[in-house]
């Protein structure tokens, strides 16, 4: 059955609506970053760049690193943008834009997020790297999809019971990282932990400037949870959406976080740009060729 013009929206040149990309313009391995300016911070290490596209906050470079074709794309901030980017990237890979039908043979993409994050455990140093072995969404994106089959329902219920945040209309969803990608980066440079994905930066992460957040013990409550020797380690705004949509569509995803703040100690990185650049180099050394 062909998708209608209001569901699969294409631009006059045949590109996908928001990303402004054509199917041949993305690689099988895609690095996602939040900040559009960070796209060139990644692609400057490519040996060549064949595609550069920009629309709104979505900037894309596709090129070669050695024999490996890579795409780096900016998502902007938040899982509302992740919903756009990941649906449209899958459409580019797995929908025939001429017939408007889903392809029979599916293309599997590999996503690597390079992002920044704040730790909530005092023993996680600023400027370290952390991989999200599990992601917990507090913003609700996956509740809009038929997603129970790809979620960690056991951990969801355990966390919901621990937090007791029903009165705030918060019910977490939980998605595990791709195990193959997690093993690929299993070395001494990387810490692992449970990452919380939030719907905002201030109140939704327990910050108050002129207004107090409604959950007074937000950070210590999260920091006090553990399951199977894993603790909640950090807060950010995209990972749970990335893991959820990637699994729904049959893709792989891993989220790597440069820890620029520690909410438990009150520290903030003095050389965050160097830390992010170091993480970029690490990712390219592991996933490039």
């Amino acid at each position: 059955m062909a998708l209608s013009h209001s569901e699969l929206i294409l631009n006059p040149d045949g590109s996908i609506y928001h990303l402004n990309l054509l199917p041949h313009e993305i690689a099988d391995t895609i690095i996602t970053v939040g900040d559009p300016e960070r796209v060139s911070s990644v692609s400057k290490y490519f040996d060549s760049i064949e595609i550069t596209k920009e629309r709104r906050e979505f900037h894309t470079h596709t090129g070669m690193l050695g024999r490996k074709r890579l795409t780096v794309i900016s998502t902007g901030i938040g899982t509302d943008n992740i919903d756009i980017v990941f649906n449209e990237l899958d459409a580019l890979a797995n929908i025939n834009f001429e017939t408007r039908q889903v392809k029979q043979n599916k293309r599997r993409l590999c996503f690597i997020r390079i992002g920044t994050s704040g730790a909530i455990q005092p023993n996680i140093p600023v400027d370290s790297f952390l991989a999200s072995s599990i992601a917990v969404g507090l913003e609700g994106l996956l509740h809009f999809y038929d997603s129970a089959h790809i979620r960690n329902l056991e951990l969801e219920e355990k966390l919901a019971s621990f937090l007791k945040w029903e009165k705030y209309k918060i019910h977490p969803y939980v998605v595990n990282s791709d195990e193959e990608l997690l093993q690929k980066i299993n070395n001494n440079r990387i810490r692992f932990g449970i990452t919380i994905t939030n719907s905002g930066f201030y109140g939704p992460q327990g910050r108050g400037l002129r207004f107090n957040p409604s959950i007074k013990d937000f950070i210590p409550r999260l920091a006090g949870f553990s399951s199977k020797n894993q603790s909640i380690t950090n807060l950010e705004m995209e990972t749970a959406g990335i893991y959820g949509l990637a699994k729904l569509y049959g893709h792989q995803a891993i989220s790597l976080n440069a820890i620029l703040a520690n909410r438990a100690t009150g520290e903030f990185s003095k050389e965050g740009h160097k830390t992010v650049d170091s993480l970029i180099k690490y990712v390219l050394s592991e996933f490039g060729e």
Side-chain angles (χ1 to χ4, degrees), residues 195-206:
T195 295
I196 297 289
T197 296
N198 305 272
S199 60
F201 186 77
Y202 290 97
Q205 292 191 31

Side-chain angles (χ1 to χ4, degrees), residues 49-289:
I49 298 174
E50 62 184 86
I51 301 294
T52 60
K53 289 282 189 76
E54 296 182 8
R55 174 165 289 181
R56 303 184 188 183
E57 61 266 61
F58 309 119
H59 293 194
T60 305
H61 292 178
T62 295
M64 299 295 296
L65 179 63
R67 295 176 296 169
K68 182 87 167 185
R69 191 169 187 248
L70 297 169
T71 292
V72 54
I73 186 168
S74 59
T75 63
I77 297 174
T79 56
D80 51 347
N81 277 14
I82 294 301
D83 186 58
I84 291 171
V85 172
F86 275 66
N87 274 285
E88 294 196 359
L89 287 172
D90 179 78
L92 287 163
N94 292 313
I95 296 176
N96 184 315
F97 284 8
E98 293 183 3
T99 64
R100 308 183 72 85
Q101 293 184 329
V102 176
K103 297 176 182 177
Q104 185 173 1
N105 296 321
K106 305 296 189 301
R107 181 178 169 193
R108 191 185 196 197
L109 303 175
C110 174
F111 295 101
I112 306 102
R113 172 185 176 269
I114 298 176
T116 59
S117 184
I120 63 171
Q121 301 289 350
N123 64 336
I124 299 176
V126 166
D127 299 314
S128 63
F129 301 159
L130 186 143
S132 304
S133 55
I134 297 172
V136 176
L138 300 184
E139 30 52 71
L141 174 64
L142 235 60
H143 296 312
F144 290 90
Y145 290 91
D146 182 9
S147 61
H149 62 291
I150 57 91
R151 290 168 17 214
N152 185 334
L153 300 179
E154 179 184 357
L155 188 55
E156 277 186 22
E157 294 307 315
K158 184 175 181 180
L159 180 58
S161 177
F162 175 84
L163 294 174
K164 295 180 169 58
W165 284 352
E166 293 85 356
K167 67 178 179 179
Y168 303 112
K169 305 295 189 287
I170 297 172
H171 185 81
Y173 65 85
V174 178
V175 188
N176 295 346
S177 172
D178 181 86
E179 188 60 33
E180 181 183 339
L181 296 183
L182 205 63
Q183 290 302 316
K184 185 178 178 66
I185 59 165
N186 189 6
N187 62 57
N188 291 332
R189 293 197 65 185
I190 306 292
R191 295 168 180 267
F192 297 88
I194 302 174
T195 295
I196 297 289
T197 296
N198 305 272
S199 60
F201 186 77
Y202 290 97
Q205 292 191 31
R207 287 185 175 92
L209 299 182
R210 292 205 306 121
F211 297 98
N212 292 324
S214 59
I215 305 175
K216 309 300 182 186
D217 62 343
F218 185 82
I219 297 296
R221 189 69 175 162
L222 289 172
F225 177 80
S226 65
S227 177
K228 298 179 181 178
N229 297 318
Q230 288 196 89
S231 298
I232 294 175
T233 49
N234 61 307
L235 311 178
E236 50 75 81
M237 294 176 62
E238 289 89 35
T239 296
I242 289 173
Y243 282 8
L245 290 178
K247 279 191 182 292
L248 277 176
Y249 280 124
H251 303 305
Q252 296 179 287
I254 187 76
S255 177
L256 295 171
N257 304 269
I259 301 298
L260 299 190
N262 188 302
R263 300 291 298 284
T265 64
E267 295 175 86
F268 193 83
S269 174
K270 294 181 174 63
E271 48 183 25
H273 64 288
K274 292 182 180 179
T275 302
V276 172
D277 185 61
S278 181
L279 181 56
I280 289 169
K281 291 176 181 177
Y282 171 78
V283 166
L284 293 177
S285 70
E286 291 293 325
F287 293 95
E289 255 183 18

